[in-house]
């Protein structure tokens, strides 16, 4: 399997991967919600979006989206990981961890200082994320599951507090996703 930066041309395959993976895990309604979210994210200007994929042969079997998050009182270079998916056929083989680690390496080389996500601490802790509070980094929208607000520094330092309101890309600015 090979990780790479997605440069376009297979949007439907990526949308289908995310839709099917979330349908398999959480049902058709969630699959459709995430599929729509991915379709909207793919319309985000490239300076605010990075997509990383894993291929097995010609097929995309994993993917992770990172979008820019900005803060009212800080110019820190921070990005949100959302969403991530690995085909049900290859789950449990470390595909998700490897594509996230690959993405972190690329983002670090590009000067990204902090990555944040909103998800399962049990999974994301395997790739270095740790629980934070909104007092440390404010979320763009109200969190329905505050325990899932997690981050890590790509500079090797502890995560420093960021003050002021945060702003995410339009596709992520949806209360249903939070």
């Amino acid at each position: 399997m090979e990780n790479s930066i997605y440069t376009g041309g297979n949007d439907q395959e990526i949308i289908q991967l995310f839709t099917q993976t979330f349908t398999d895990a959480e049902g058709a309604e969630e699959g459709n919600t995430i599929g729509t979210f991915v379709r909207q994210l793919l319309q985000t200007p490239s300076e605010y979006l990075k997509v990383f994929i894993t291929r097995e042969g010609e097929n995309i079997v994993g993917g992770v989206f990172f979008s820019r998050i900005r803060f009212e009182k800080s110019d820190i270079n921070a990005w949100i990981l959302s969403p991530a998916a690995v085909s049900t056929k290859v789950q449990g083989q470390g595909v998700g961890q490897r594509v996230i680690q690959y993405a972190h390496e690329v983002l670090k080389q590009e000067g990204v200082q902090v990555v944040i996500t909103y998800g399962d601490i049990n999974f994301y802790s395997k790739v270095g994320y740790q629980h934070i509070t909104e007092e440390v980094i404010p979320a763009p929208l109200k969190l329905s599951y505050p325990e899932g607000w997690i981050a890590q520094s790509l500079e090797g330092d502890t995560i420093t507090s960021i003050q002021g309101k945060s702003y995410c890309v339009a596709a992520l600015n949806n209360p249903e996703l939070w």
Side-chain angles (χ1 to χ4, degrees):
M1 290 189 214
E2 181 180 339
N3 295 313
S4 63
I5 300 170
Y6 178 67
T7 57
N10 295 86
D11 287 5
Q12 285 303 344
E13 186 178 0
I14 289 176
I15 293 165
Q16 181 57 37
L17 167 70
F18 279 80
T19 302
Q20 189 62 55
T21 300
F22 279 85
T23 296
D24 292 348
E26 301 181 38
E29 185 176 341
E30 185 69 6
N32 289 331
T33 297
I34 299 302
T36 299
F37 172 43
V38 166
R39 181 176 286 107
Q40 293 168 347
L41 270 174
L42 287 167
Q43 296 171 9
T44 302
S46 60
E47 63 266 26
Y48 300 107
L49 183 73
K50 307 264 186 217
V51 183
F52 301 89
I53 59 171
T54 301
R55 288 188 182 277
E56 183 175 52
E58 295 298 312
N59 299 318
I60 298 173
V61 296
V64 63
F65 285 73
F66 281 85
S67 58
R68 182 71 194 225
I69 183 170
R70 293 174 295 116
F71 298 92
E72 183 177 63
K73 297 181 180 181
S74 175
D75 61 358
I76 192 165
N77 190 348
W79 291 67
I80 293 180
L81 182 167
S82 180
V86 173
S87 170
T88 307
K89 297 173 187 172
V90 296
Q91 286 180 4
Q93 298 177 25
V95 174
Q97 291 177 48
R98 286 192 300 274
V99 73
I100 291 169
Q101 289 166 338
Y102 170 77
H104 287 172
E105 291 171 17
V106 171
L107 292 168
K108 182 178 179 178
Q109 291 172 1
E110 293 178 356
V112 173
Q113 298 165 283
V114 174
V115 287
I116 307 159
T117 194
Y118 182 49
D120 180 1
I121 186 69
N122 294 319
F123 172 76
Y124 289 105
S125 66
K126 295 176 185 176
V127 289
Y129 287 79
Q130 58 187 331
H131 173 70
I132 57 170
T133 65
E134 289 191 82
E135 287 75 32
V136 176
I137 298 177
L141 295 169
K142 181 172 173 38
L143 301 174
S144 60
Y145 177 68
E147 297 78 14
W149 192 233
I150 54 183
Q152 77 169 283
S153 170
L154 295 183
E155 297 179 316
D157 302 324
T158 58
I159 298 168
T160 57
S161 182
I162 301 171
Q163 301 301 310
K165 186 166 174 43
S166 63
Y167 303 92
C168 58
V169 298
L172 194 53
N173 197 21
N174 176 352
E176 289 180 31
L177 299 170
W178 296 88

